[in-house]
Amino acid sequence: AKNIKLGQGGADYIAAATVNQTTNPGTTWVSITALDDATVSATSVNTDIWDTLTTIEVPSGTTIYGRWSVITIGSGDIAIAYRG
């Protein structure tokens, strides 16, 4: 059976930084929770299913779902990115 990925692989705390597969080989992030109002950019693993985020504003406490290989959180912003 196919299992839905909701972050069982752990999480990365991101404060005004970028996480990617270069520094975390084989990692795919499946959700992003903004801990404050955050500017988020993310590269989709499969653009046929999930959009690549080209800088969106995510309100504090909001979680967005998808599958990303690179996530960038803007200057002064904080988020948690959950691994698939």
Side-chain angles (χ1 to χ4, degrees):
K2 292 187 178 184
N3 293 323
I4 189 166
K5 301 289 185 178
L6 297 174
Q8 299 93 319
D12 292 298
Y13 178 86
I14 311 168
T18 298
V19 292
N20 58 52
Q21 291 181 333
T22 301
T23 57
N24 300 285
T27 302
T28 299
W29 291 270
V30 295
S31 65
I32 304 165
T33 300
L35 299 181
D36 61 2
D37 293 344
T39 301
V40 177
S41 299
T43 302
S44 178
V45 171
N46 183 341
T47 56
D48 291 336
I49 299 172
W50 297 278
D51 289 335
T52 290
L53 306 176
T54 56
T55 310
I56 64 167
E57 294 296 323
V58 180
S60 178
T62 301
T63 300
I64 57 175
Y65 298 91
R67 289 183 53 81
W68 301 285
S69 59
V70 177
I71 299 171
T72 301
I73 303 300
S75 177
D77 300 333
I78 303 168
I80 297 175
Y82 294 90
R83 299 182 208 125

